[in-house]
Amino acid sequence: MPRPEGQPRPSNPDGRPNRPLRTLAVVRTERLTPGMVRVILTGPDLDELPELTLTDHYVKLRFGDVTRTYTIRSFDREARELAIDFVIHGDEGLAGPWAAAAQPGDTVTFAGPGGGWAPSPDADAHLLVGDESALPAIAAALDRLKATRDDARADVYLEVAGAGEQQVLPTTAGTTVTWIHRGPGDRYGEALTRAVIEAVLPDGRLEAFVHGNADMVKPLRRHLFTMLSIPRENVSISGYWRTGMNEDGWQSSKREFNAQMEAEQDARV
Ligand SMILES: Cc1cc2nc3c(=O)[nH]c(=O)nc-3n(C[C@H](O)[C@H](O)[C@H](O)COP(=O)(O)OP(=O)(O)OC[C@H]3O[C@@H](n4cnc5c(N)ncnc54)[C@H](O)[C@@H]3O)c2cc1C
């Protein structure tokens, strides 16, 4: 049974919430594209998962003492199946290689879910921007829009390595998906940033969800907050990973990265 709303969670001596660890087994994997694999997990621990009301719910997968953060692409409580889509980015790292080699019966332990965003039904339009790492959260947001507001306008900009990495996405009648292909010399997020800055965005109350490589966060924050004056509370934006850093390195430097970015932005205004 999900934990009832409002019931306090026991905490560690340092005051941080003591998040329960859950263990699941791989049921099957699906190669979505050459660079993305879906791992479908099951197990009785899924019965304990709270109701998932957001579209960017994530879990912290454990590899020994190290964690890696992944979006819940979908959760079917009746079938007891939870799907996570992993970017396969070569031999480096823990989670990517684990997913690439995952076999039915393999197990994985995780903490969570956490999360913070879902498309608001009151927005006039939605801007969804990301690279492959944010594709699962963006697809989950489109699933939600399709189920709740099929007339919703959603302008989606997704950067992937090439045409073979494009996926069929759930769409509303008002969805436009623009696929941007990284050029051979492009840094992650460079072509995507250009495309969003050049785009003619819809009028009205626009909500934005912008995630992926950290390098695109600074210019896109400036564009959305300073150039377009979109209120901060209408934007969810963050770096999901950073080139040349593993997740431990990125997470431990993220606070400083964000503080520096805020300071630079304040100095410009
Ligand atoms: C809230 C949140 C949700 C996320 N959801 C997803 C998701 O659903 N699917 C997903 O695939 N990722 C997702 N990510 C990103 C994922 O956590 C990172 O990509 C993570 O670094 C991958 O761990 P790893 O062990 O494979 O590689 P690491 O050990 O962390 O890194 C090894 C090397 O690979 C590079 N690297 C890491 N990620 C990528 C990448 N995507 N492309 C190219 N090079 C990379 C690193 O810079 C480093 O050089 C999410 C991150 C956050 C914060």
Side-chain angles (χ1 to χ4, degrees), residues 36 56-60 63 66-73 84-90 92-98 131-137 182 188 211 213 238-248 250-251 254:
M36 184 82 96
D56 69 343
H57 277 298
Y58 59 82
V59 289
K60 298 266 179 194
F63 296 92
V66 174
T67 62
R68 293 289 185 259
T69 311
Y70 280 83
T71 304
I72 297 177
R73 171 64 186 87
I84 298 181
D85 294 353
F86 292 78
V87 176
I88 305 304
H89 53 85
E92 271 190 89
L94 299 170
W98 176 83
D131 65 12
E132 293 92 334
S133 68
L135 221 164
R182 251 184 317 275
Y188 274 87
H211 295 270
N213 187 284
S238 77
Y240 271 5
W241 67 282
R242 192 163 192 197
T243 307
M245 283 187 182
N246 63 19
E247 180 165 343
D248 317 277
W250 168 230
Q251 292 296 346
K254 202 171 183 177

Side-chain angles (χ1 to χ4, degrees), residues 148-197:
T148 54
R149 266 205 61 185
D150 199 41
D151 62 336
R153 172 156 181 187
D155 290 14
V156 185
Y157 293 84
L158 283 162
E159 182 188 289
V160 294
E165 290 302 324
Q166 295 182 194
Q167 293 183 28
V168 177
L169 294 173
T171 51
T172 65
T175 303
T176 314
V177 182
T178 305
W179 292 98
I180 292 125
H181 299 159
R182 251 184 317 275
D186 281 346
R187 281 182 292 113
Y188 274 87
E190 200 176 343
L192 181 61
T193 302
R194 257 194 324 266
V196 175
I197 288 175

Side-chain angles (χ1 to χ4, degrees), residues 230-242:
I230 300 178
R232 286 180 183 228
E233 63 271 21
N234 292 0
V235 179
S236 165
I237 182 165
S238 77
Y240 271 5
W241 67 282
R242 192 163 192 197

Side-chain angles (χ1 to χ4, degrees), residues 99-116:
Q103 296 292 324
D106 290 354
T107 58
V108 67
T109 296
F110 70 93

